Amino acid sequence: MKEIITLQINGDRYDLYIEPKRTLLEVLRAEIGLTGTKEVCDLGTCGACTVLIDKKPILACLTLAVTCKGKEIVTIEGIARSDGTLHPMQEAFRDHHGLQCGFCTPGMVMSAIDIAKNHSNLTEEVVRAELDGNMCRCTGYHNIVKAVLAGAQNM
């Protein structure tokens, strides 16, 4: 049985008629067309579907969309400025080659924003520990860590 829900995503309001069992990831990609949030494992083990819900990183593949009513959802598409200027963390990933195939990048960037906000003095060790739930198939971790450190300085 479907129900009507309203979601606040990237500052926009969406009124949706969906089944309660649908995940936020499914709704973002199929109903709203925000495909930057990647569908990779669907098990909560890779981190590619990380979004910010009320400014905290959450795995969209494990979150039911109906549980997000009244919450602020931000996806990778919502962090750049309206004029197209990249978020400092996005710039850092670009400038420090923190991406290869791109599947992990949205989740890495969203997690990195949270890491930068929660740690005033980041070290490589802290970044590696905090990114533990985000997997890179290309094994680009060295450059990802450099990007997170640089992005944190510019935030």
Side-chain angles (χ1 to χ4, degrees):
M1 186 163 109
K2 292 184 178 182
E3 65 179 82
I4 297 172
I5 67 167
T6 300
L7 297 178
Q8 191 73 22
I9 304 168
N10 300 330
D12 295 323
R13 176 188 164 130
Y14 294 89
D15 295 313
L16 304 162
Y17 186 58
I18 62 167
E19 294 176 333
K21 67 179 182 178
R22 303 247 351 245
T23 66
L24 179 60
L25 179 61
E26 292 171 327
V27 170
L28 288 172
R29 293 180 61 80
E31 302 298 324
I32 300 173
L34 296 174
T35 57
T37 303
K38 299 303 180 204
E39 181 177 5
V40 180
C41 74
D42 269 342
L43 299 170
T45 60
C46 74
C49 67
T50 302
V51 298
L52 300 177
I53 299 179
D54 290 341
K55 301 182 182 178
K56 295 180 182 157
I58 302 293
L59 299 173
C61 75
L62 298 181
T63 304
L64 294 176
V66 296
T67 66
C68 298
K69 295 185 280 188
K71 298 181 179 182
E72 176 190 357
I73 302 164
V74 179
T75 69
I76 192 72
E77 293 93 344
I79 63 171
R81 293 190 190 127
S82 59
D83 67 359
T85 303
L86 295 178
H87 184 280
M89 194 60 74
Q90 289 173 304
E91 287 180 344
F93 268 71
R94 179 196 62 205
D95 296 345
H96 293 273
H97 309 288
L99 53 105
Q100 289 182 41
C101 80
F103 263 88
C104 72
T105 306
M108 289 281 190
V109 169
M110 300 307 282
S111 293
I113 290 169
D114 181 68
I115 292 166
K117 287 181 178 178
N118 289 318
H119 296 278
S120 58
N121 189 17
L122 273 179
T123 64
E124 180 179 331
E125 294 75 23
V126 170
V127 171
R128 287 183 183 279
E130 291 286 328
L131 283 178
D132 187 42
N134 293 76
M135 301 180 87
C136 174
R137 300 185 309 181
C138 305
T139 67
Y141 293 106
H142 181 69
N143 286 343
I144 290 169
V145 172
K146 288 189 332 186
V148 173
L149 292 169
Q153 285 183 332
N154 294 327
M155 282 179 53

